[in-house]
Every structure is written in C-alpha cells, then in structure tokens.
Amino acid sequence: MSILEGALLGILQGLAEFLPISSSGHLNLFQALLHVELENQLLFNILLHVGTLIAVAVVFWKDWIDMLLHPIKNRTLLLLFVASLPALAAKILFDSQLEYVETHITFLGICFLITGLMLLLTTRISRKQEQNGTAKGQVGFFEALVMGCLQAIGMLPGISRSGSTIFGGVCAKVNREAAAKFSFMMSAPAIVGSLLVEGKDALEAGISFGDSLPAILVGMVLAAIVGYLSIRFFLKVIANASLDGFALYVTIVGVITILFQAMGVITDNTVTDATLALIRTLG
C-alpha cells in the first residue's frame, strides 16, 4: 500500500464515520464501477478504527471521564450498552442475510434514497418539535433503544449509520444536537467491537506491518484528525442548519446508482473479501 492510498483511506474513514453519506455504500459503488480490489486491508482496518476512536475520545473526553468516574450517576455507559443491543441482535439473527446485502449492490440505490428521505424528515420533524417546544435535550432508555434500532438498519450499505441514528433520536423527540452527540458516542462500542474481532483475525492470520508501516501510520493519523474535524463541524451544523444538502447529495447518488444498474453500467458482482472488511470498517 502506498502512502497516498493510506492517506486517502484515512481521510475517507474520518469523514465517512460521522457525515451522513454512507461510506459503505460509496465503497460498494466504487468497486462496482471501477472493479477495484483492495488487498491486505485487515491490519490497516484495525488502525483506522484506532484513529476514529481517538477522535471520539478527544472530542468527548469530559463525558467519557465523567461516565467512567460516576457510572451510577451518569447513565451514559448503560445507555450506550442498550443502544448497541439491536445491532448485536440483528447480526446474530440475520448474519447470512446481512452478508448478502453487504456483498451485493442489488439494493444499494434504494438504500441511498432511504438515507436521503431520513435526512429530509430529520430536518422537518426536528423543526416542528422545536416550534412546539417538545424536543428533549437528553437521551433516555427509550430514546437509546430507538436509536439503536436505527443503527441496526444503518448496517446496510447505502444507509448512513450517523444519519439513521440521528433520525431515530429525532423521531423519539430528542433535539438534533443531543441526538448527534449520542450518535457519535454510539460509534465507540461499534469501533471497539470491530477492533476485537479484526484484531483476533489479524493475530490468527499472522499479519505483519511489512513495508506498509508508513502508509498505515499516515492513514491512522489522518483518520483521527479528519474524524475530529468532522465531529466538530457536524455538531455545529446539526444544531441549526438544514440537512437538506446531504439529503440532496445521497438522493442524487441513489438515482444515478439505480440508472447505472438499469443500463448495465454496474452489475451485481460480489464484493471481494478485502473490500467487505473495509466496508465494515467505514460503516
């Protein structure tokens, strides 16, 4: 892997983990269009996770310290656990079905359109709640469970994890800023879970750094830096600005994807194992 490739993937990780555009969908589309095969990604995926985890830890460091020092008074850890249960259940119950969707582009365009619809609804529902004074400034157990259910749906390529979970929070009457903050913190358990699984696979495969160490380090650092900036940017945008721009973008991508499928420009070829590992990294 070259340093340039490492840098580009690190930037993609930092952006895609937190902006509501579905990196997994873009990677599926990218491979279908260009027939790109990504090799030796497992170790790099693990360190991309580390970079993103660092970004989440730095932005919310006060929250993490408080919840660790006061686990009973501060319920955030418990809420994050509750929010992680639906995705875990979906993985256990529908593993083979998820594997198929993750490795094929049959529903990719439709999933992009669903993301666009959720983002449009997020803006409109939240503004109505703000006008009525019904929006809540914090997440409770019910809200965490709703956001967790939407996170499970966000496992599908083309459906944004951050976009779907924020939509879930808003539907549960949480204001956009609080929903976005909890959504970003929800990524930490998912990242740690991926680290454990992929770390185990890397150890079993005996993967070493080799000549890719400079590219891996560059990618990890950029994932952390861009991830930090993405969180800061989106937290400012989400509070007051419309999400219609993101909605328009993913809708256009969805329409183009469906047209390309209809014209035979892209076909439902299976995604390579290495690309699938990267898709799961970028979420």
Side-chain angles (χ1 to χ4, degrees):
M1 179 187 299
S2 69
I3 291 179
L4 178 60
E5 290 172 331
L8 290 175
L9 288 172
I11 291 171
L12 177 60
Q13 165 71 2
L15 284 172
E17 181 65 36
F18 306 110
L19 298 184
I21 58 174
S22 180
S23 59
S24 58
H26 282 76
L27 281 170
N28 255 338
L29 181 60
F30 179 70
Q31 167 136 350
L33 283 170
L34 304 179
H35 306 288
V36 174
E37 294 187 7
L38 302 171
E39 299 177 355
N40 303 320
Q41 284 293 328
L42 185 55
L43 183 61
F44 188 59
N45 294 349
I46 295 170
L47 295 180
L48 283 181
H49 276 121
V50 173
T52 308
L53 192 60
I54 290 172
V56 176
V58 171
V59 173
F60 302 114
W61 69 271
K62 291 182 180 179
D63 299 271
W64 291 114
I65 290 176
D66 185 64
M67 73 176 72
L68 291 173
L69 292 178
H70 308 97
I72 297 178
K73 181 180 178 181
N74 188 326
R75 301 184 303 170
T76 306
L77 274 179
L78 182 57
L79 292 173
L80 291 174
F81 172 75
V82 170
S84 301
L85 293 178
L88 178 61
K91 184 64 178 175
I92 293 172
L93 296 174
F94 306 108
D95 186 51
S96 59
Q97 291 89 342
L98 287 171
E99 180 84 13
Y100 178 85
V101 176
E102 287 174 335
T103 56
H104 294 75
I105 62 169
T106 307
F107 306 106
L108 186 58
I110 295 172
C111 287
F112 275 124
L113 296 181
I114 291 173
T115 295
L117 177 61
M118 286 193 294
L119 295 177
L120 285 173
L121 291 175
T122 296
T123 299
R124 282 145 186 79
I125 293 172
S126 63
R127 284 179 175 171
K128 185 175 181 180
Q129 290 172 353
E130 290 166 4
Q131 291 172 356
N132 297 336
T134 57
K136 293 174 284 190
Q138 62 182 28
V139 174
F141 286 103
F142 172 74
E143 293 80 11
L145 186 60
V146 173
M147 293 179 72
C149 291
L150 270 294
Q151 179 170 248
I153 296 173
M155 296 167 67
L156 303 177
I159 296 183
S160 164
R161 189 205 66 84
S162 60
S164 62
T165 51
I166 292 170
F167 171 68
V170 168
C171 287
K173 297 186 178 181
V174 178
N175 66 46
R176 283 188 289 172
E177 188 172 7
K181 180 179 178 179
F182 191 74
S183 170
F184 295 154
M185 296 183 76
M186 283 172 63
S187 69
I191 292 170
V192 171
S194 295
L195 279 171
L196 294 175
V197 172
E198 293 182 5
K200 176 178 176 291
D201 291 342
L203 289 174
E204 291 176 349
I207 296 176
S208 61
F209 289 96
D211 297 331
S212 298
L213 180 59
I216 289 173
L217 292 176
V218 168
M220 183 175 65
V221 170
L222 284 175
I225 294 173
V226 175
Y228 174 87
L229 295 174
S230 296
I231 295 173
R232 289 295 190 193
F233 165 76
F234 199 59
L235 283 176
K236 290 182 179 179
V237 170
I238 194 70
N240 301 304
S242 170
L243 298 180
D244 289 359
F246 292 112
L248 177 61
Y249 170 74
V250 293
T251 299
I252 291 173
V253 173
V255 171
I256 291 174
T257 300
I258 292 172
L259 289 175
F260 280 178
Q261 288 174 313
M263 294 186 296
V265 176
I266 56 176
T267 57
D268 193 25
N269 295 325
T270 57
V271 177
T272 64
D273 291 340
T275 307
L276 176 59
L278 188 59
I279 286 171
R280 287 171 173 167
T281 298
L282 300 181

